[in-house]
Amino acid sequence: MSWKEIWKKKRSPKLSHKYSKLLNSVTEKHAQQNKFLILYLNKMKKYPFAAVVGQEKMKKALLLNLINPKIGGVLIKGEKGTAKSTIVRGLADLVSGLKVVELPLGATEDKVVGTLDIEHAIKKGEKRFEPGILSKAHGNILYVDEINLLDDNIVDILLDVAAMGVNTVEREGISHSHPSQFILIGTMNPEEGDLRPQLLDRFGLTIDVVGESDVANRVEVIKRRLAFEQTPDEFAKDFSAQQLELSNTIISAQDKLSNILFPEYLYECIASISCAIGVDGHRADITMLKTALTIAAFYNCVEVTEEHIYEAAELVLPHRLLRTPFSGKDLTAEEIRKVVEKELLKVEVNS
Amino acid sequence: MVKFPYTAIIGQEQAKTALLLNCIMPQIGGVLLAGEKGTGKSTLVRSLSQVCPERKVITIPLSVTEDMLLGSLNVETAISQGAIEYDAGLLAKADGHILYIDEINLLSDSVINLLLDSASSGKCTIEREGVSHSFACRIILVGSMNPEEGTLRPQILDRFGFYIELKASKNKRERVEIMKNRLAYETDKNRFVNMFADQNKDIEKKISTALSKLSKIKITEEVLTIVAEICHKAFVAGHRADLALLLGAIANAALDSRTLVSRFDIATVEPLALAHRIRNINAPEENQEEETEENDNTKDDEQQEENNEPQNNEQPQNEQKNDELKEQNEEENDNDNENQPQIEAPVDANDEMFDFDDSFVLNKDPLKPAFDKIKCIKGSGKRNKTISETKRGRYVKARIPAGKLIDFAFDATLRTAAPYQLLREKNGLALSIHSDDIREKIRERRIGNTVLFLVDASGSMGIRQRMGEAKTAVLEMLKQSYIKRDCVGLMTFRHNETETILPPTRSVNQAQKLLKNIKTGGRTPLSNGLKDAHLLMQSLHRKNNEIMPVIVLFTDGRETIQNTQAEGAIHFAKQICNDEIRLIVIDTEAGFIRLGKAKSLALQSKAEYYTIDELKEKSMSGIMTN
């Protein structure tokens, strides 16, 4: 089943609708008595994606994944308080039917893969499968905050499922398998430890985020946040036009994706970049290719250009260097740019 | 789901041959594919059933429990009819098929053993839960793994018939083809699969002809001699290699539809059957030279691949040398021969700084668990998979609880109680469970050490390159920690204070960077250092009582600042040991006159003791050059 079909199937009332309904009923009845409850429920509302100031690179990487989920997810590296979670949660409103399913760090294995439905077994004496987080994540975003702190055995499972797109459960008397394709989005603070290489490789793209350094932008961040917390609904309304525009961009890019042309010489260029940088395996090549195509679709182009390749390389390559225990540094943007320019030049000379 | 076509996979010829030969001759004993990520390991295995339609590929998830593999009591019939019936498990269903485990190195030990036993004997017997049953289980076991995530024990490796290391192609043309194929597949799966249908059919035919030819294949005496000679020369352990080589050669002849096994067949199969079994007895020195040039694991693999030519018996794979060691020791030893990195430290003129000492080679891993001590540390074990005492970890099987019930295993309890349901008084409930039906979960979990390096950075450490040596020793141990995924921290003491340079984290890179910049000078507040290290470990232990705390102390033991408390360093060292924290004292004292203070500290507190020279491989030459 393609991702679009999955999304179409899911156009059921969304979670956020439930909250707003609840909020409305509360507002009418208890508005005076319980301001705190309202504040709390307001907090459950989602900050609109389009209203986030800055963090353009992160936004772009995430949008590319919405356009083409086969890119394989995003790993966001950076410190706390850089709007990582806000942006990721906001993604759900851009594509109808899309949810953000969170995998909490403390999740136990049976809750992740699914397990025997104990209640059903006790009441009826029958075995039944109780779906876990991986089942909910199918066709959605699986979001793991602080993914580098996840328990090893949960990581093992994620590796398995992310590779196959199928969750096979063989435990506690249950034999079950269901599709589980998701956009894996993880965040981590590199100072708290590294991610296992195999899991790192499963992420299509990585980006580094830092807080906004421009003072004017910082002020804008605070202003918007305050406005949102006071009157979330009105705030959302202000940005609804922009949100709609983004949604439309995604849809039109999705339609275009299969018709984007990819010039022959750029295939070779991608291969040379990978060889020059020295990456593990072939996933880098394939992801670079897909990302470049998606970028072209995003910019409404007919054909992939060299600039698209460069942009793709910058997102795909940093975490894919052949890594030894202590050489461990990610490539910087400039280093990647240099390699890409060099290889592009070579290919041009040859042709 | 439309699978990627087998014949559309470019390159990886060795792996393809190995898999096909196993399909023709399952007795070879399975295939293990090792390789970096993204080399098409699992794509290849999953596509296998396209060219060999009578064999399905059954995938085993990592979270599998033992009862699912073996099969278990049918709970529903037991409850409703009181009858004992057996539900076939995965192994029974896999009879005659291919059993595939991705990331096999992450699978729990008991499950791996079970799989290998069944695969080699071709049948499986269960005696549990009132069920006594035996079934055929002729499976082709295929595993894939990424060695970066840890290796398999040599005796497990040996039980796979063939072993192949996969590498990504370095050829640009091939890389372009791979990209194009993948893209074409993802754009229109059905069209792409149709494009390759004919080629797949050809291979399918080849296999079925091979199968029909199999009984007619002749083996000459000469071929047998060659096989025996090759295996003898390669110093392989046991006779599994001979058998795998011979069976592989027969299958290869059948695949080429010849009736006589030739030298060519043996040459084709030799690298597959011997790569993981060759032990190198007479060339340890050569190995070291090679390894010094290539001082990281990934490059070692690369090299091994290059060395895979038939006549070459210089396989620098560390596991193979350790075959005869004790079982438990083996996996710990894998990386013992890790070598000296060539790191360029920045030249920094302030204070005294010592670079890593280049002549230093670690020959022992002091962090290897001391086996006599294991019993007293709760939830501990080797730095790998251990049985977890809390509710965290992977559920592998169930047992009758001893003492207080912590982790209730509902499925196992249900199975135990099921056959009695018809007879028991239920008081209107659907189930009646007695206390002796209750089972609890056994969970496995990988636990790493939490290692705190406590480094004496006082002035006396500056003499005779001691700091340089100590830093390198710490670095070497850090490398071990990286592979074993330990938590590491770094603490130094000098002048009048201790400094926590890095609280224990998983980020070994960070530790290495900070280690470089440790400066020496000043006096030695040894007891303060021990005290603070103890406090830090205690607080960590309070947060997580499953950690295995280890303090590695680098010092010459000469305390120059007396603590107000009378006993000083020895007192604190004793406290640390009493608290079930492993204390390892690395004595950095060198030179002609030795006071042996560190040694007496270790002896009195019953800590483990090594001199820094003991950690060096070439200890004699090391002293001479000093």
Side-chain angles (χ1 to χ4, degrees):
Chain A
M1 205 191 297
S2 84
W3 281 79
K4 265 195 213 164
E5 285 165 47
I6 297 171
W7 285 339
K8 260 180 212 156
K9 270 196 166 179
K10 285 199 174 172
R11 286 189 191 175
S12 54
K14 272 182 290 172
L15 209 65
S16 54
H17 290 198
K18 275 189 206 164
Y19 286 127
S20 58
K21 252 190 201 169
L22 185 59
L23 184 65
N24 287 339
S25 65
V26 171
T27 333
E28 284 156 23
K29 285 179 197 163
H30 316 284
Q32 295 309 312
Q33 297 110 309
N34 209 337
K35 277 186 185 162
F36 286 108
L37 183 60
I38 295 168
L39 265 179
Y40 174 70
L41 285 169
N42 273 348
K43 273 205 166 161
M44 310 282 286
K45 291 196 171 169
K46 266 180 257 150
Y47 190 86
F49 184 86
V52 177
V53 182
Q55 306 296 9
E56 296 305 329
K57 208 175 160 196
M58 176 172 17
K59 283 191 212 159
K60 188 170 78 185
L62 292 168
L63 287 179
L64 291 179
N65 268 281
L66 288 191
I67 296 167
N68 184 4
K70 290 197 177 113
I71 288 176
V74 187
L75 176 66
I76 305 167
K77 289 180 174 180
E79 30 190 68
K80 279 269 165 199
T82 39
K84 291 181 299 234
S85 303
T86 313
I87 292 179
V88 174
R89 292 201 184 104
L91 284 175
D93 290 335
L94 295 179
V95 178
S96 74
L98 183 72
K99 275 195 297 184
V100 176
V101 178
E102 287 194 39
L103 175 60
L105 287 184
T108 53
E109 190 168 329
D110 48 342
K111 287 291 168 203
V112 176
V113 297
T115 182
L116 177 72
D117 185 341
I118 292 185
E119 197 180 325
H120 191 79
I122 290 174
K123 281 185 183 157
K124 302 270 169 66
E126 285 167 13
K127 288 189 290 191
R128 195 172 74 177
F129 178 67
E130 186 186 323
I133 293 174
L134 287 175
S135 155
K136 283 182 210 141
H138 177 51
N140 288 317
I141 290 172
L142 184 65
Y143 176 50
V144 194
D145 204 4
E146 309 273 350
I147 192 165
N148 49 338
L149 305 181
L150 205 61
D151 251 6
D152 268 348
N153 53 326
I154 308 282
V155 172
D156 296 347
I157 293 165
L158 267 189
L159 286 178
D160 220 19
V161 177
M164 283 197 275
V166 178
N167 177 29
T168 315
V169 186
E170 292 289 349
R171 48 184 285 135
E172 301 181 334
I174 293 281
S175 251
H176 187 86
S177 96
H178 62 79
S180 178
Q181 289 168 291
F182 44 80
I183 304 174
L184 184 61
I185 296 181
T187 66
M188 64 179 274
N189 184 350
E191 279 171 17
E192 293 190 37
D194 307 315
L195 205 59
R196 284 164 52 187
Q198 188 85 352
L199 184 60
L200 196 62
D201 188 57
R202 292 273 187 261
F203 282 100
L205 315 176
T206 38
I207 43 165
D208 280 306
V209 289
V210 281
E212 201 54 60
S213 53
D214 184 59
V215 176
N217 276 346
R218 289 189 87 103
V219 172
E220 187 60 27
V221 170
I222 303 168
K223 271 189 191 160
R224 288 197 187 176
R225 188 76 219 180
L226 283 178
F228 169 73
E229 279 181 11
Q230 272 157 10
T231 49
D233 291 324
E234 275 168 42
F235 186 79
K237 243 178 240 161
D238 291 346
F239 285 92
S240 60
Q242 290 181 40
Q243 291 269 95
L244 193 68
E245 202 191 309
L246 268 177
S247 297
N248 288 336
T249 317
I250 293 172
I251 292 167
S252 74
Q254 278 172 341
D255 292 338
K256 262 192 214 96
L257 192 58
S258 52
N259 298 321
I260 303 281
L261 298 174
F262 199 89
E264 188 65 32
Y265 79 100
L266 287 181
Y267 280 110
E268 204 178 313
C269 173
I270 287 182
S272 344
I273 293 169
S274 291
C275 290
I277 281 182
V279 292
D280 269 352
H282 295 279
R283 212 171 264 129
D285 304 27
I286 293 164
T287 317
M288 236 192 296
L289 173 64
K290 284 184 207 161
T291 313
L293 283 168
T294 318
I295 290 173
F298 180 63
Y299 290 145
N300 209 354
C301 299
V302 195
E303 196 184 47
V304 175
T305 66
E306 293 174 6
E307 190 56 30
H308 298 151
I309 297 280
Y310 166 68
E311 273 190 49
E314 204 185 4
L315 292 167
V316 173
L317 292 178
H319 60 299
R320 289 180 200 274
L321 280 178
L322 269 184
R323 199 177 277 264
T324 57
F326 297 114
S327 70
K329 226 179 65 188
D330 284 357
L331 275 184
T332 60
E334 295 94 70
E335 285 168 318
I336 292 175
R337 172 128 238 170
K338 259 186 218 155
V339 174
V340 175
E341 272 168 2
K342 209 172 111 196
E343 297 302 325
L344 278 171
L345 213 68
K346 263 194 221 161
V347 175
E348 269 162 22
V349 169
N350 286 346
S351 63
Chain B
M1 224 164 76
V2 189
K3 285 190 187 123
F4 196 82
Y6 178 83
T7 40
I9 297 167
I10 292 160
Q12 311 300 13
E13 297 305 330
Q14 273 201 337
K16 282 183 186 168
T17 318
L19 289 169
L20 289 188
L21 295 183
N22 265 278
C23 283
I24 296 168
M25 179 79 87
Q27 293 91 321
I28 290 170
V31 183
L32 179 63
L33 305 173
E36 57 191 47
K37 51 235 167 192
T39 41
K41 300 179 291 268
S42 40
T43 315
L44 188 59
V45 181
R46 288 203 191 97
S47 67
L48 201 56
S49 57
Q50 294 168 3
V51 292
C52 196
E54 64 272 22
R55 298 195 196 279
K56 282 187 289 177
V57 177
I58 295 167
T59 312
I60 304 241
L62 289 175
S63 58
V64 71
T65 52
E66 209 179 77
D67 59 285
M68 294 308 295
L69 278 177
L70 290 170
S72 57
L73 181 78
N74 184 327
V75 177
E76 275 121 11
T77 50
I79 291 175
S80 55
Q81 296 153 32
I84 289 181
E85 249 177 55
Y86 171 78
D87 262 352
L90 278 174
L91 285 177
K93 284 180 200 153
D95 184 26
H97 297 295
I98 298 161
L99 206 62
Y100 175 52
I101 308 141
D102 199 6
E103 317 280 351
I104 191 168
N105 46 342
L106 306 179
L107 201 65
S108 85
D109 273 358
S110 61
V111 174
I112 292 187
N113 286 333
L114 183 68
L115 284 173
L116 287 166
D117 279 340
S118 320
S120 60
S121 63
K123 72 172 194 176
C124 200
T125 313
I126 61 167
E127 294 285 349
R128 53 192 282 168
E129 290 163 355
V131 184
S132 186
H133 189 82
S134 162
F135 55 87
C137 164
R138 290 151 297 187
I139 51 175
I140 302 171
L141 192 64
V142 180
S144 65
M145 60 180 242
N146 179 357
E148 273 181 287
E149 298 269 326
T151 46
L152 286 171
R153 292 205 309 266
Q155 57 275 61
I156 290 180
L157 277 181
D158 180 53
R159 295 176 70 168
F160 280 94
F162 290 162
Y163 173 89
I164 295 100
E165 295 234 358
L166 287 90
K167 292 288 291 180
S169 167
K170 292 269 175 282
N171 180 321
K172 280 177 199 166
R173 286 264 149 256
E174 264 183 33
R175 289 188 89 107
V176 170
E177 283 309 303
I178 290 169
M179 269 187 273
K180 283 185 177 167
N181 275 355
R182 187 77 213 179
L183 194 67
Y185 166 73
E186 282 182 8
T187 353
D188 190 343
K189 289 185 181 170
N190 290 320
R191 205 180 129 251
F192 187 70
V193 170
N194 283 336
M195 273 165 57
F196 287 89
D198 285 348
Q199 294 184 39
N200 273 353
K201 267 272 170 320
D202 287 347
I203 298 205
E204 193 188 324
K205 254 183 231 155
K206 232 174 136 187
I207 293 176
S208 60
T209 355
L211 282 170
S212 63
K213 279 254 164 69
L214 210 51
S215 54
K216 293 175 200 131
I217 302 273
K218 289 193 188 78
I219 311 155
T220 58
E221 199 63 35
E222 191 202 348
V223 165
L224 289 176
T225 325
I226 296 172
V227 168
E229 261 174 22
I230 287 173
C231 293
H232 176 69
K233 270 190 200 147
F235 295 110
V236 294
H239 292 277
R240 277 209 191 93
D242 307 43
L243 210 58
L245 183 53
L246 183 64
L247 291 173
I250 294 172
N252 197 53
L255 194 63
D256 276 0
S257 52
R258 280 179 279 112
T259 45
L260 204 66
V261 178
S262 69
R263 276 167 187 275
F264 168 75
D265 294 316
I266 297 174
T268 314
V269 178
E270 194 185 315
L272 310 175
L274 297 190
H276 55 310
R277 294 194 171 103
I278 293 174
R279 288 179 301 168
N280 210 341
I281 290 173
N282 50 8
E285 287 121 69
E286 277 170 75
N287 267 353
Q288 274 153 24
E289 275 165 34
E290 281 168 11
E291 278 174 2
T292 329
E293 287 160 23
E294 312 273 3
N295 48 36
D296 64 82
N297 285 347
T298 3
K299 282 191 186 156
D300 262 349
D301 294 342
E302 192 178 318
Q303 196 177 2
Q304 195 170 10
E305 169 112 305
E306 286 160 13
N307 283 349
N308 266 351
E309 290 147 30
Q311 306 83 348
N312 200 337
N313 58 359
E314 298 172 359
Q315 291 281 335
Q317 206 185 18
N318 293 331
E319 293 109 37
Q320 288 149 9
K321 284 178 255 167
N322 295 331
D323 256 7
E324 286 158 352
L325 291 175
K326 269 201 303 189
E327 185 185 319
Q328 299 104 313
N329 277 336
E330 259 156 339
E331 48 185 334
E332 316 298 334
N333 273 338
D334 286 355
N335 304 298
D336 276 4
N337 294 349
E338 286 261 333
N339 271 294
Q340 168 59 35
Q342 286 135 16
I343 283 172
E344 293 164 32
V347 185
D348 196 340
N350 16 327
D351 226 329
E352 273 189 286
M353 274 231 323
F354 288 87
D355 209 351
F356 299 114
D357 179 354
D358 275 354
S359 68
F360 194 99
V361 179
L362 195 69
N363 78 333
K364 267 185 196 167
D365 180 7
L367 291 178
K368 223 187 311 183
F371 283 96
D372 52 326
K373 287 209 168 184
I374 258 173
K375 280 166 225 136
C376 60
I377 308 168
K378 200 181 168 197
S380 68
K382 41 190 177 174
R383 278 184 285 165
N384 210 318
K385 297 154 194 149
T386 62
I387 290 178
S388 170
E389 294 290 328
T390 63
K391 278 185 157 186
R392 295 169 78 183
R394 176 176 295 148
Y395 173 30
V396 280
K397 50 185 165 182
R399 65 175 168 209
I400 298 172
K404 203 178 149 209
L405 179 73
I406 302 165
D407 202 359
F408 181 57
F410 183 78
D411 58 320
T413 308
L414 190 62
R415 281 196 297 273
T416 325
Y420 311 107
Q421 294 304 311
L422 278 187
L423 304 170
R424 280 183 189 167
E425 190 65 49
K426 291 190 212 165
N427 299 327
L429 296 169
L431 283 174
S432 154
I433 290 172
H434 290 183
S435 59
D436 50 356
D437 300 333
I438 288 174
R439 297 290 180 272
E440 73 173 355
K441 289 178 180 174
I442 298 178
R443 288 177 191 264
E444 270 189 4
R445 183 166 185 227
R446 276 173 293 165
I447 304 171
N449 291 325
T450 299
V451 187
L452 181 68
F453 291 100
L454 180 61
V455 182
D456 182 347
S458 67
S460 60
M461 289 290 284
I463 309 165
R464 292 174 197 269
Q465 282 295 315
R466 266 184 234 163
M467 198 59 198
E469 285 187 355
K471 278 187 183 181
T472 318
V474 175
L475 182 72
E476 287 298 320
M477 287 165 84
L478 274 176
K479 269 193 175 177
Q480 302 288 317
S481 302
Y482 180 86
I483 294 158
K484 304 279 193 300
R485 268 183 266 131
D486 292 335
C487 271
V488 289
L490 201 57
M491 198 183 232
T492 59
F493 52 93
R494 65 175 195 137
H495 291 312
N496 293 325
E497 54 182 25
T498 50
E499 189 183 358
T500 310
I501 292 178
L502 178 76
T505 72
R506 284 267 192 91
S507 180
V508 177
N509 275 333
Q510 195 89 0
Q512 186 254 349
K513 270 182 233 154
L514 294 167
L515 176 69
K516 237 185 214 174
N517 300 324
I518 294 180
K519 300 187 182 85
T520 51
R523 296 198 282 176
T524 324
L526 178 58
S527 22
N528 284 343
L530 282 167
K531 188 172 124 197
D532 291 346
H534 186 201
L535 285 177
L536 183 70
M537 284 318 231
Q538 270 182 329
S539 74
L540 285 176
H541 196 257
R542 236 172 272 135
K543 271 189 230 157
N544 177 3
N545 60 9
E546 260 192 16
I547 61 166
M548 270 183 76
V550 182
I551 295 175
V552 183
L553 171 66
F554 283 83
T555 186
D556 53 8
R558 291 179 210 183
E559 170 138 42
T560 47
I561 296 176
Q562 281 302 322
N563 195 282
T564 42
Q565 294 185 29
E567 300 92 340
I570 291 167
H571 170 71
F572 289 112
K574 272 184 186 161
Q575 272 192 353
I576 288 173
C577 291
N578 286 342
D579 234 9
E580 292 184 355
I581 297 170
R582 269 180 77 191
L583 178 63
I584 301 171
V585 179
I586 311 282
D587 191 351
T588 56
E589 192 171 44
F592 187 66
I593 303 162
R594 297 187 184 204
L595 299 176
K597 289 232 169 148
K599 189 168 190 176
S600 83
L601 174 78
L603 278 177
Q604 289 188 52
S605 58
K606 298 199 181 82
E608 290 156 61
Y609 173 81
Y610 299 89
T611 63
I612 201 150
D613 293 334
E614 274 178 318
L615 296 182
K616 281 200 230 174
E617 194 153 63
K618 297 166 186 157
S619 55
M620 279 315 286
S621 64
I623 293 164
M624 295 297 278
T625 45
N626 277 348

